[in-house]
């Protein structure tokens, strides 16, 4: 006789949406109570720096997995990580290793536009299927963060604030 599965484990997308809704509600409460100003420039800067740190380890993690067929989120994570590594190595070659921002050597707009281009190109090249792996999910979360920060940076640049990342 088949056993009944719980509804939360049967639909991981539902769980992810509930979690995202809870985070959004929590952030709204912080904004409403005055703990975080809107738009939350400090929060976005912190998230951008954290995303850069995660991107730095992305190529190491993804190359160690040994899988040849990656997913779209993993492609975005790998591309951003390699791009940051290349910018860091280029700064070292110029002798700027003491003053550079290791996790955020590129502007938010640049990394966001590059990641958006990689997602579009990867989707167009056939990486359309979704695999629920933590590396793919992490890549997608990072990609959405970078694209969102790039959009926020553009909108903030219109009002006078040109950059969000902590350098």
């Amino acid at each position: 006789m088949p056993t009944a599965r719980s509804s939360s484990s049967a639909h991981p997308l539902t769980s992810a949406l509930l979690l995202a809704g809870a985070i959004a509600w929590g952030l709204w409460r912080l904004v409403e109570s005055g703990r975080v100003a809107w738009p939350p420039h400090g929060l976005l800067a912190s998230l951008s720096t954290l995303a850069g740190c995660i991107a730095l380890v992305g190529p190491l993690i993804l190359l160690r997995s040994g899988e040849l067929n990656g997913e779209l989120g993993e492609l975005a994570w790998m591309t951003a990580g390699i791009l940051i590594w290349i910018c860091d190595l280029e700064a070292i070659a110029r002798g700027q290793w003491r003053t550079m921002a290791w996790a955020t050597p590129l502007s938010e707009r640049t990394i966001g536009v590059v990641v958006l281009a990689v997602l579009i190109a990867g989707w167009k090249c056939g990486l359309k299927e979704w695999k629920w792996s933590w590396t793919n999910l992490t890549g997608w979360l990072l990609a959405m963060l970078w694209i969102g920060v790039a959009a926020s940076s553009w909108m903030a640049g219109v009002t006078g604030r040109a950059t969000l990342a902590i350098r």
Side-chain angles (χ1 to χ4, degrees), residues 9-100:
S9 65
H11 297 83
L13 182 59
T14 303
S15 298
L17 289 173
L18 288 172
L19 181 60
I23 291 170
W25 181 73
L27 287 173
W28 176 254
R29 296 285 303 161
L30 289 172
V31 169
E32 190 176 38
S33 67
R35 293 186 190 167
V36 177
W38 192 259
H41 296 296
L43 176 64
L44 291 176
S46 299
L47 290 175
S48 179
T49 301
L50 180 62
C53 293
I54 294 169
L56 281 170
V57 298
L60 303 174
I61 292 169
L62 295 170
L63 288 173
R64 286 186 46 159
S65 73
E67 288 189 30
L68 297 176
N69 297 328
E71 300 293 321
L72 195 51
E74 294 168 342
L75 178 63
W77 189 8
M78 177 73 85
T79 302
I82 290 173
L83 187 59
I84 291 173
W85 273 97
I86 290 171
C87 289
D88 288 348
L89 292 172
E90 187 261 339
I92 291 169
R94 285 190 321 221
Q96 298 175 340
W97 61 275
R98 291 179 193 228
T99 59
M100 68 175 291

Side-chain angles (χ1 to χ4, degrees), residues 131-155:
K131 182 175 80 174
W132 282 100
S133 67
W134 76 272
T135 53
N136 190 39
L137 185 60
T138 301
W140 271 105
L141 291 173
L142 290 171
M144 294 301 108
L145 173 75
W146 284 314
I147 293 168
V149 170
S152 173
S153 169
W154 178 78
M155 292 178 70

